[in-house]
């Protein structure tokens, strides 16, 4: 409400240029609207995190700077309303509406992901994610946040444009040991074979910051690379997505292709030090494109397409995704002469 700041149930009807709301009496809406929100010149904020205890809000600011806070019944309903209202606001610009739908339903490969920066923002006193005490199955957990709260926070802070992209980013934070699951609900999900199911966009799944706040270095990453293999001429470099060998998850890596000697190394773009986290000699390797009409054996998780595979002479299989078919072709053509 505008005068008394209380919350009331209203029946909403979205028209092309306005949002009408009706009082409900005896389970039925009254024939005449109680009020209307003109959408011309409106700005929409979703998710809106201005009320800590109301995570399902949409905020509308009209052209005359009047704020409306609308609370939905579920995150799915909130996001659906927000998308339709946004479409109505931009109804006179069909191309823009098309781009909004495309953005909400697609995943864009982020080339400059800095997980350290995201975690710093999450820990911020004013704009960080709200830490609360939570109770699950009789156990009390301090300084935790829910999976859906993290997804909302990532979207509202412009680190992601859709829930799917935010879940992918949250999965990376968990995989890189910046956050960890606590409690039975979220811990059980980490046992799923599909990495896309291991982080839960759920208000009952609990997470907290990992104790160290930094990624623990695994023995695999402590491999000392011979100086000679890093001394070759750089032929090509760029960001690709690589499938892990153990957990079969997908991570953004910066790949560097070198000749004389011929090696392909990959780096973690979230780390400041310029040393590879993996690499292999290209001598005796086989490289080939994988068709997009199905997921090949050995590939799991979120596959967007444009896959190619490298098999080393020791029969180690590397599955890699490019951002486009043209980019995949360029990488294959650059690698083949060095094998």
């Amino acid at each position: 409400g505008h005068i008394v700041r209380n919350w009331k149930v209203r029946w909403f009807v979205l028209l092309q240029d306005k949002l009408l709301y009706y009082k409900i009496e005896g389970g039925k809406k009254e024939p005449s609207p109680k009020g209307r929100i003109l959408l011309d010149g409106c700005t929409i904020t979703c998710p809106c995190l201005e009320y800590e205890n109301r995570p399902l809000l949409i905020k509308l600011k009209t052209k005359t700077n009047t704020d409306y806070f609308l609370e939905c019944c579920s995150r799915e309903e909130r996001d659906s309303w927000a998308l339709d209202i946004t479409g109505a606001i931009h109804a006179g610009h069909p191309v823009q509406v098309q781009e909004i739908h495309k953005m909400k339903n697609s995943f864009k490969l982020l080339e400059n992901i800095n997980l350290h920066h995201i975690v710093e923002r999450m820990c911020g006193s004013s704009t960080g994610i709200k830490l609360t005490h939570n109770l699950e199955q009789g156990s009390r957990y301090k300084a935790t946040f829910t999976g859906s709260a993290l997804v909302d926070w990532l979207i509202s802070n412009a680190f992601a444009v859709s829930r799917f992209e935010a879940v992918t980013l949250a999965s990376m934070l968990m995989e890189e040991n910046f956050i960890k699951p606590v409690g039975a609900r979220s811990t059980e999900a980490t046992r799923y074979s599909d990495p896309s199911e291991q982080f839960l966009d759920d208000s009952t799944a609990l997470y907290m910051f990992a104790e160290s706040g930094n990624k623990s270095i695994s023995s695999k990453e402590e491999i000392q690379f011979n100086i000679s293999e890093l001394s070759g001429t750089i032929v090509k470099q760029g960001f690709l997505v690589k499938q892990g060998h153990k957990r079969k998850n997908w991570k953004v890596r910066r790949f560097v292709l070198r000749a004389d000697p011929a090696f392909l190394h990959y780096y973690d773009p979230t780390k400041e030090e310029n040393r590879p986290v993996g690499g292999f000699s290209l001598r005796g390797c086989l490289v080939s494109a994988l068709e997009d009409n199905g997921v090949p054996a050995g590939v799991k998780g979120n596959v967007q397409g444009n896959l190619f595979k490298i098999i080393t002479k020791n029969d180690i299989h590397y599955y890699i995704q490019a951002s486009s078919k043209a980019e995949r072709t360029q990488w294959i053509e650059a690698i083949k002469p060095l094998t």
Side-chain angles (χ1 to χ4, degrees):
H2 287 290
I3 300 172
V4 180
R5 294 289 180 175
N6 55 347
W7 295 86
K8 298 175 181 177
V9 176
R10 293 289 183 254
W11 181 270
F12 280 83
V13 176
L14 176 62
L15 303 180
Q16 187 172 1
D17 60 344
K18 64 178 74 74
L19 192 59
L20 304 178
Y21 53 93
Y22 298 76
K23 287 182 68 174
I24 296 178
E25 294 290 343
K28 295 181 180 180
K29 75 179 181 72
E30 292 188 343
S32 301
K34 173 73 175 174
R36 63 179 184 170
I37 304 171
L38 298 178
L39 297 177
D40 180 43
C42 260
T43 58
I44 182 169
T45 303
C46 178
C48 171
L49 305 182
E50 292 189 26
Y51 289 82
E52 290 178 5
N53 298 323
R54 296 183 180 273
L56 304 180
L57 288 184
I58 296 170
K59 177 182 177 182
L60 287 175
K61 181 183 282 292
T62 68
K63 191 162 58 175
T64 57
N65 289 325
T66 302
D67 291 340
Y68 289 87
F69 293 93
L70 316 177
E71 185 173 32
C72 300
C73 298
S74 68
R75 281 178 170 79
E76 293 77 13
E77 186 180 67
R78 179 197 66 187
D79 294 345
S80 176
W81 270 99
L83 188 59
D84 289 338
I85 292 171
T86 304
I89 291 172
H90 300 292
H93 309 278
V95 174
Q96 194 168 357
V97 175
Q98 188 178 11
E99 288 299 316
I100 290 166
H101 281 268
K102 192 185 297 182
M103 181 178 69
K104 289 287 185 181
N105 295 298
S106 66
F107 175 68
K108 182 178 70 175
L109 189 65
L110 301 176
E111 291 194 350
N112 296 305
I113 296 173
N114 188 329
L115 298 183
H116 291 278
H117 174 60
I118 294 174
V119 173
E120 284 177 7
R121 286 281 298 276
M122 286 175 67
C123 296
S125 57
S126 58
T127 60
I129 191 166
K130 182 70 175 177
L131 301 180
T132 58
H133 294 343
N134 285 283
L135 191 67
E136 184 193 54
Q137 296 182 357
S139 298
R140 184 175 294 278
Y141 299 97
K142 297 180 179 179
T144 58
F145 47 87
T146 66
S148 54
L150 176 54
V151 169
D152 283 350
W153 185 89
L154 289 168
I155 295 172
S156 67
N157 285 271
F159 289 114
V161 298
S162 66
R163 301 197 78 77
F164 175 76
E165 188 170 326
V167 167
T168 303
L169 204 49
S171 300
M172 291 175 66
L173 289 170
M174 188 168 67
E175 188 64 34
E176 299 295 335
N177 201 33
F178 287 111
I179 64 173
K180 64 181 181 180
V182 290
R185 181 87 171 88
S186 56
T187 303
E188 180 66 27
T190 61
R191 301 191 180 122
Y192 291 132
S193 58
D194 188 342
S196 65
E197 298 177 352
Q198 291 176 2
F199 178 87
L200 300 177
D201 178 8
D202 193 297
S203 60
T204 63
L206 302 180
Y207 299 88
M208 67 186 304
F209 291 109
E211 291 180 1
S212 64
N214 292 302
K215 180 178 182 251
S216 58
I217 300 174
S218 67
S219 58
K220 184 177 180 182
E221 291 175 87
E222 291 173 341
I223 297 171
Q224 296 298 315
F225 291 93
N226 191 314
I227 294 176
S228 64
E229 68 182 70
L230 296 172
S231 63
T233 303
I234 295 178
V235 176
K236 185 175 176 59
Q237 59 181 318
F239 291 91
L240 299 165
V241 183
K242 172 187 164 294
Q243 180 178 256
H245 289 290
K246 291 183 179 179
R247 298 186 67 177
K248 306 297 183 185
N249 54 335
W250 293 91
K251 296 180 181 178
V252 175
R253 292 291 181 249
R254 180 172 64 87
F255 280 78
V256 177
L257 177 63
R258 294 181 173 91
D260 300 321
F263 275 84
L264 184 63
H265 293 99
Y266 47 94
Y267 299 72
D268 185 343
T270 68
K271 301 176 77 68
E272 293 183 4
E273 62 267 25
N274 191 32
R275 66 186 300 271
V277 296
F280 51 91
S281 170
L282 290 172
R283 295 301 178 193
C285 283
L286 296 174
V287 58
S288 60
L290 298 176
E291 296 301 325
D292 295 338
N293 56 355
V295 179
V299 175
K300 294 183 178 180
N302 178 37
V303 179
Q304 300 292 317
N306 308 312
L307 274 171
F308 64 98
K309 178 171 69 172
I310 301 174
I311 305 175
T312 69
K313 64 179 180 181
N314 297 324
D315 200 34
I316 298 174
H317 293 225
Y318 289 85
Y319 293 98
I320 301 168
Q321 294 186 60
S323 61
S324 66
K325 286 187 177 181
E327 186 183 41
R328 175 177 67 179
T329 301
Q330 291 169 8
W331 273 99
I332 292 173
E333 289 178 350
I335 292 170
K336 273 186 175 178
L338 303 177
T339 61

